[in-house]
């Protein structure tokens, strides 16, 4: 199927990116669509998910400020997106998603988003693309206050290339019951010549209020929250040791040894009905990935660069789930499980430049002891027709590994699962117009088969490779300056996503089995249209602007057992929604004072589907403002 050509992402001629090819490359030479988002692009946003969602092809999913926040690319769900911090993966081995809510925007230098299959150089979990968050290394201090008890303090300092430290904290009382959040993040490092050691530490304590209830208030909720006592504590420790050297003038070798440790403690209250008692459940997750990566780059004559990489990872998960009777304080159940896994990957990447033509090819081999070996190829072409026109196309295959929850969940996991398989194709052009205006147009097609879904098998639900997702569409971005004072940016995304699911439709009481039937529907929680317009005025010492984001209707489906043993589905629709933000910044020397209003029009429409057809979903936080003062040191 050929992609529909609509409009795409902006590309700056002189920018250098590293995420798309693992080596620094001018963005103009990269055949796959890349969004480069700098710190200035977040000046009208409070969090990372809000800032990224403003760009073509990028959809953010959030359950409120400080809660779980993930990113989907071009109509694929967020578990298909690989999330990196300074090149290190933070995707959960338990759920597969990368939570970006623990990273303050004040500490971000830039974000590179690769909107195409990237398993050819990154392995699993990059079916939809890659997001690489680069942290700041400059010297600054920034503090801010706002409504709903908001405060923040972040700072950074360095001694040349020898030492750097970056970190701070954020607190928010919340917009409704049990919606508060406290977050702390710090990173530091030392570098001696070609050897560097970095350590990143983050923690977050927050309430988990759930959706707003419907007409019936839950036993452990109130009128604004379904769960007034549910809490979560997240902790991450990410050290890594790197060194590089050049044995020959045209050969470079880099090694990166890393650890990603994640701790999640979750507490929830609910009514256990068989027998009936108020249950207090505590879930404890301890996850770690330790790995090493070696990449060798060789520059051959005639503008040819060859890269070879070898990666090794060991994943381990230790989980404990404890349920107590909250009335009698007696232990009801205790479940523990531990799992580990090794995997190894080898990739080769080649880029050949011939005049104004760039040819790209990559191939990766992955061996995981749980699955058959995987080959992930990719190829791309970029052509500068003239100084003002560039054509590009990219094709790639990718895959996503089943999560530890899918494989090993007690009494329900399925160790026979195979990885989900994806393919992506895109074509587009970039047009460089007078007066610094740039227009980019991209059409794309994405497909994921063997998608994992939890379906009833007998009396239990378990995961199976039975579903499929497709997404065809396009993107547009146009940006430029008017009279060197007014900056304009318009992003638009069109999606025609479809899910093909095997869903339960009937329960056979004689055999105690469910009958499944294939259903084709628009992909849940995915808008067909989304757009964002940002207009800002730069007067030197004064900058101000407005941004507005529009999302068309989204839909979801909920199981309906009212005619059991026949099973049907009820559709819920979130109406089209918009959000307007305002910012004003004053500069004097090294000082900046800014004032930002998020949700200027105080819209309270839902931003995320709830748990049932009857609740009122997750509401957008009301109008919020921040006063911030920063100094460049």
């Amino acid at each position: 199927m050929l992609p529909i050509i609509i409009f795409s992402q902006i590309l700056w001629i002189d920018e250098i990116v590293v995420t798309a090819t693992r080596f620094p490359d001018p963005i103009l030479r990269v055949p796959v669509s890349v969004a480069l988002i700098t710190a200035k692009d977040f000046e009208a946003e409070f969090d990372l998910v809000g800032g990224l969602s403003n760009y073509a092809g990028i959809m953010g999913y959030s359950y409120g400020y400080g809660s779980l926040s993930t990113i989907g690319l071009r109509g694929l769900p967020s578990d298909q997106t690989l999330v990196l911090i300074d090149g290190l993966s933070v995707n959960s081995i338990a759920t597969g998603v990368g939570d970006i809510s623990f990273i303050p925007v004040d500490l971000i230098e830039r974000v590179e988003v690769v909107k195409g299959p990237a398993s050819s150089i990154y392995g699993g979990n990059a079916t939809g693309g890659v997001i690489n968050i680069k942290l700041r290394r400059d010297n600054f201090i920034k503090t801010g206050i706002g409504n709903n008890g908001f405060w923040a303090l972040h700072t950074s300092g360095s001694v040349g290339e020898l030492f750097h430290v970056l970190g701070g904290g954020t607190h928010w009382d919340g917009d409704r019951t049990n919606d508060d959040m406290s977050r702390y993040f710090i990173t530091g490092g030392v570098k001696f010549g070609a050897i560097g050691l970095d350590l990143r530490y983050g923690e977050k304590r927050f309430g988990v209020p759930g959706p707003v209830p419907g007409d019936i208030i839950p036993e452990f909720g109130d009128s604004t929250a379904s769960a007034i006592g549910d809490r979560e504590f997240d902790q991450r420790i990410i050290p890594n040791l790197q060194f590089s050297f050049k044995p020959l003038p045209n050969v470079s070798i880099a090694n990166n040894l890393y650890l990603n440790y994640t701790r999640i403690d979750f507490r929830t209250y609910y009514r256990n009905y068989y027998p009936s008692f108020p249950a207090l459940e505590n879930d404890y997750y301890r996850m770690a990935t330790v790995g090493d990566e070696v990449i060798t780059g060789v520059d051959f004559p005639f503008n040819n660069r060859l890269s070879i990489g070898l990666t090794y990872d060991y994943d381990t998960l230790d989980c404990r789930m404890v349920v107590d009777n909250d009335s009698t304080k007696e232990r009801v159940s205790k479940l523990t499980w531990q799992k580990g896994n090794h995997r190894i990957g080898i990739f080769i990447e080649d880029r050949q430049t011939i005049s104004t033509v760039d040819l790209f090819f990559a191939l990766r081999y992955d061996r995981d002891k749980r699955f058959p070996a995987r080959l992930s190829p990719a190829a791309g072409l970029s052509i500068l027709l003239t100084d003002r026109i560039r054509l590009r196309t990219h094709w790639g295959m990718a895959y996503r590994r089943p999560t530890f929850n899918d494989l090993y969940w007690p009494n329900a996991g399925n160790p026979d699962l195979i990885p989900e398989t994806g393919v992506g194709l895109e074509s587009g052009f970039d047009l460089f117009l007078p007066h610094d205006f740039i227009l980019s147009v991209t059409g794309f097609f994405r497909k994921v088969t063997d998608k994992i879904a939890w379906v009833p098998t007998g009396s239990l639900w378990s995961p199976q490779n039975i579903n499929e997702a497709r997404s065809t569409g396009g993107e547009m971005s146009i940006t430029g300056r008017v009279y060197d004072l007014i900056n304009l940016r318009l992003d638009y995304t069109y999606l025609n996503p479809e899910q093909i699911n095997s869903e339960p439709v009937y329960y056979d009481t004689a055999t105690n089995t469910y009958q499944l039937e294939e259903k084709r529907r628009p992909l849940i929680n995915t808008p067909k249209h989304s757009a964002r317009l940002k207009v800002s005025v730069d007067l030197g010492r004064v900058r101000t602007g407005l941004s507005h984001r529009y999302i068309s209707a989204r839909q979801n489906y909920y199981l309906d057992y009212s005619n059991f043993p026949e099973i049907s589905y009820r559709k819920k629709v979130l109406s089209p929604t918009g959000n307007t933000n305002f910012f004003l910044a004053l500069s004097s020397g090294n000082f900046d004072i800014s004032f930002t209003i998020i949700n200027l029009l105080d819209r309270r429409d839902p931003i995320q589907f709830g748990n049932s057809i009857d609740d009122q979903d997750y509401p957008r936080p009301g109008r919020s403002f921040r006063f911030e003062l920063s100094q460049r040191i």
Side-chain angles (χ1 to χ4, degrees), residues 448-631:
V448 179
T449 57
D450 296 318
K451 274 188 62 62
I452 297 170
W454 285 67
V455 294
T457 55
S459 59
L460 297 175
W461 288 64
S462 68
Q464 307 288 331
N465 292 102
I466 57 175
N467 289 349
E468 181 178 320
R470 300 177 182 177
S471 179
T472 305
E475 304 166 357
M476 177 273 287
S477 281
I478 184 168
T479 186
R481 295 171 62 88
V482 179
Y483 302 118
D484 292 329
L485 296 175
I486 303 174
N487 297 292
L488 299 174
R489 181 182 183 101
L490 173 65
D491 288 83
Y492 169 75
T493 305
Y494 168 80
L495 291 171
N496 186 23
E498 181 185 40
Q499 63 182 28
I500 305 170
N501 293 350
S502 294
E503 301 172 347
V505 295
Y506 184 80
Y507 181 73
D508 190 335
T509 56
T511 60
N512 293 325
T513 59
Y514 285 85
Q515 176 184 337
L516 302 181
E517 186 175 297
E518 187 177 278
K519 300 285 187 179
R520 290 176 174 261
R521 312 182 196 274
L523 192 64
I524 64 171
N525 202 19
T526 305
K528 180 166 287 191
H529 305 277
S530 59
R532 181 248 197 174
L533 174 65
K534 180 180 180 181
V535 181
S536 61
V537 179
D538 190 344
L539 301 175
R541 293 189 176 184
V542 180
R543 301 190 316 276
T544 187
L546 280 170
S547 68
H548 180 77
R549 183 166 185 251
Y550 167 82
I551 298 176
S552 65
R554 291 167 287 162
Q555 58 191 33
N556 199 0
Y557 298 88
Y558 297 85
L559 286 167
D560 183 1
Y561 291 96
S562 59
N563 294 318
F564 192 81
E566 292 184 359
I567 303 169
S568 59
Y569 292 81
R570 297 175 64 187
K571 182 172 74 172
K572 178 189 280 190
V573 176
L574 296 186
S575 299
T577 181
N579 183 48
T580 304
N581 299 339
F582 167 82
F583 73 93
L584 172 67
L586 307 177
S587 300
S588 178
N590 291 329
F591 287 91
D592 292 302
I593 300 175
S594 62
F595 174 65
T596 306
I597 302 177
I598 301 296
N599 192 8
L600 180 65
L601 303 180
D602 198 26
R603 299 189 59 162
R604 300 297 182 113
D605 43 350
I607 59 173
Q608 186 66 263
F609 284 100
N611 302 328
S612 72
I613 192 73
D614 298 314
D615 64 37
Q616 298 184 45
D617 307 300
Y618 288 83
R620 183 189 308 279
R623 183 186 298 116
S624 301
F625 64 84
R626 307 280 191 269
F627 289 100
E628 295 177 306
L629 173 65
S630 62
Q631 179 185 11

